[in-house]
Amino acid sequence: MRAGELAAVRGRLEEFVSEVFAPLVRRDQREKGLLYVRGLLLDGRRKSMQPMAERLGIDHQQLQQFMTSSTWPVEDVRARLAWRAVAAVRPEVWVVDDTGFPKDGTASPGVARQYSGTLGKVGNCQIGVSVHAASDTASCPLSWRLFLPAVWDGPDAEVRRRACRIPDTEHHRPKWQLALDMLDELDGNGLRPAVLVADTGYGANADFRHGLEDRGLAYVLQVKAEMTAHGEEAEPQRPAYGGLGPRPLPRYRTRPVSLREHVLAAGRQAGRTLTWRKGSKGAMSSHFVLLRVRLAGRRPKPAADGTIPLTWLIAQWPDGETEPVKYWISNLPADIPAKDLVRLEKTRWRIEHDYRELKTVLGLDHFEGRSFTGWHRHVTLVTAAHLFLTEQRRAPKAPARA
């Protein structure tokens, strides 16, 4: 935003910041929070602390102290932002995803040579895992976690961990576990998704799926064609009892096959063309085959009678393709309309708008500090700036102050 545009919504911004920073008991902290958010919103090529301070006309040490050494509860601010985001977006789904932060050097917390979808390859970067609220018309992050690769654990990492002020309680955990931790934190604050969606990095992980099921959460998850399943009609059989030891549990005697094989066996003619939304160039639609299957593979979760629950299998099979190009699974009810299943999964596209605005406009990946806490504060304040813009787009413009 240009200085004049920001001045025109100054009253709204001050009211917004006053509410989300209410957990900060000290007035000077709330004032510095407002300064930081203003700095993120103002036009400028870089949104690291020194360039922002220059545009604001202040000493950058004020921002530095607020982000690194000041004591204020980022969790409480994050909770308030999440509540406001859910109220503003009115999400149909929550989206779990992650994004890369390319870095030079090895001193930033969590930095390592690792695969980044942002780069499309292995590179020197940090990875942030996020949960977003999304509808077809708006979306906003609800929470963030910095992924710590395994090289940031152990005796060899002690010096770097101390330099980055990484708490002793924070260690390497897989990204799917960080996602579940965020869902638990949000649940503890009274927020739960109607449906959760994620790409194959999460959907193909059995531990993540079981974690969602254990929490009673509905999902539509992208998966790999190689995942195996039994057909809808498959039934478990109980082996004959030999008279010694406990009775054997029922199990499926048929061989599970890949999701790809299930869909190819059904044939493209078993599907239908479905439209999931109206785009700028017309209706967005494709051909989909929907089946009911019983997931096999690693650690299926059968019922007491050995039955594996039925799951939706959704395969996108566009015109001109010899086989499907994408696969999803869902534990949503059997009577949900097919178009709703497709629409819910396709809502995941919306968060690409988040990442684009968060990075190119608000400086999500511009943080140059080397503090673990500072990173989480920065992404939280960038989320605040993004939410403020989202609320402005979804509400009538406020008159400028005289």
Side-chain angles (χ1 to χ4, degrees):
M1 300 176 76
R2 293 188 294 270
E5 293 172 323
L6 191 56
V9 294
R10 184 177 62 182
R12 281 191 173 188
L13 179 60
E14 290 177 352
E15 181 181 351
F16 172 88
V17 168
S18 175
E19 196 279 326
V20 298
F21 287 139
L24 279 62
V25 295
R26 287 169 42 189
R27 179 179 176 181
D28 64 305
Q29 291 177 331
R30 296 193 296 273
E31 291 173 347
K32 287 173 184 174
L34 173 60
L35 282 173
Y36 201 95
V37 174
R38 283 181 56 208
L40 294 169
L41 290 169
L42 277 172
D43 284 349
R45 184 175 179 183
R46 290 290 299 175
K47 299 296 176 75
S48 51
M49 284 182 273
Q50 191 154 347
M52 286 198 303
E54 290 174 0
R55 288 189 287 272
L56 292 167
I58 63 172
D59 184 345
H60 82 278
Q61 292 294 334
Q62 293 187 51
L63 301 182
Q64 180 80 31
Q65 188 271 341
F66 175 67
M67 295 300 287
T68 58
S69 59
S70 180
T71 57
W72 56 275
V74 68
E75 296 83 5
D76 294 346
V77 174
R78 196 161 57 203
R80 284 176 173 261
L81 288 170
W83 268 100
R84 283 189 74 128
V86 168
V89 173
R90 301 188 179 213
E92 294 183 274
V93 300
W94 286 10
V95 185
V96 169
D97 206 347
D98 53 69
T99 188
F101 300 74
K103 290 290 181 180
D104 296 323
T106 61
S108 299
V111 71
R113 285 194 59 78
Q114 54 192 322
Y115 179 79
S116 164
T118 304
L119 298 173
K121 61 181 181 180
V122 173
N124 195 62
C125 61
Q126 298 168 308
I127 299 291
V129 182
S130 53
V131 176
H132 303 242
S135 68
D136 196 42
T137 58
S139 56
C140 192
L142 300 177
S143 193
W144 293 88
R145 293 293 188 277
L146 179 63
F147 172 66
L148 291 176
V151 295
W152 280 81
D153 276 348
D156 294 341
E158 286 184 7
V159 173
R160 285 204 298 171
R161 288 178 61 91
R162 285 198 300 271
C164 293
R165 303 179 189 177
I166 298 177
D168 293 339
T169 54
E170 296 292 337
H171 295 280
H172 168 69
R173 282 177 292 166
K175 297 167 193 171
W176 62 265
Q177 184 63 64
L178 296 177
L180 292 179
D181 290 346
M182 285 186 279
L183 293 173
D184 287 342
E185 180 183 78
L186 289 161
D187 187 34
N189 291 324
L191 296 171
R192 282 173 64 87
V195 179
L196 188 126
V197 300
D199 65 15
T200 53
Y202 298 88
N205 188 290
D207 291 319
F208 180 66
R209 297 196 305 272
H210 295 339
L212 298 180
E213 291 161 3
D214 291 342
R215 290 161 173 79
L217 297 177
Y219 59 72
V220 186
L221 304 173
Q222 190 172 357
V223 293
K224 298 178 180 178
E226 296 78 18
M227 181 182 289
T228 59
H230 299 280
E232 180 177 9
E233 302 304 323
E235 294 183 356
Q237 298 177 13
R238 186 183 295 273
Y241 180 51
L244 296 174
R247 291 185 178 275
L249 297 174
R251 62 177 182 267
Y252 287 83
R253 309 293 290 183
T254 55
R255 182 181 68 88
V257 300
S258 70
L259 301 184
R260 176 179 178 272
E261 291 176 78
H262 279 289
V263 178
L264 291 179
R268 193 173 187 276
Q269 70 279 0
R272 70 199 89 168
T273 298
L274 296 169
T275 297
W276 59 88
R277 71 182 179 89
K278 299 290 185 181
S280 58
K281 298 181 180 179
M284 301 191 71
S285 61
S286 187
H287 195 82
F288 295 88
V289 176
L290 288 90
L291 304 173
R292 299 285 279 166
V293 298
R294 303 179 189 275
L295 294 178
R298 187 172 69 89
R299 291 180 60 201
K301 296 188 71 173
D305 63 357
T307 303
I308 299 175
L310 284 168
T311 298
W312 279 109
L313 164 58
I314 308 109
Q316 185 174 353
W317 196 336
D319 294 339
E321 297 290 343
T322 59
E323 63 179 73
V325 296
K326 292 181 180 179
Y327 297 81
W328 297 267
I329 57 172
S330 174
N331 64 350
L332 283 164
D335 60 354
I336 186 172
K339 64 179 182 180
D340 289 344
L341 274 174
V342 171
R343 178 178 53 80
L344 289 169
E345 165 50 35
K346 292 294 185 177
T347 303
R348 190 168 65 86
W349 73 273
R350 178 71 208 186
I351 69 164
E352 297 304 321
H353 287 257
D354 284 2
Y355 285 142
R356 186 159 52 248
E357 185 169 56
L358 288 163
K359 289 187 174 183
T360 62
V361 177
L362 299 172
L364 179 68
D365 54 354
H366 294 181
F367 185 65
E368 296 175 353
R370 295 179 178 178
S371 160
F372 181 85
T373 299
W375 185 92
H376 284 89
R377 288 176 172 177
H378 173 75
V379 297
T380 299
L381 294 174
V382 172
T383 296
H386 181 267
L387 176 58
F388 177 73
L389 292 177
T390 300
E391 290 185 354
Q392 301 317 294
R393 285 190 288 261
R394 297 176 70 80
K397 292 183 178 179
R401 280 190 178 181

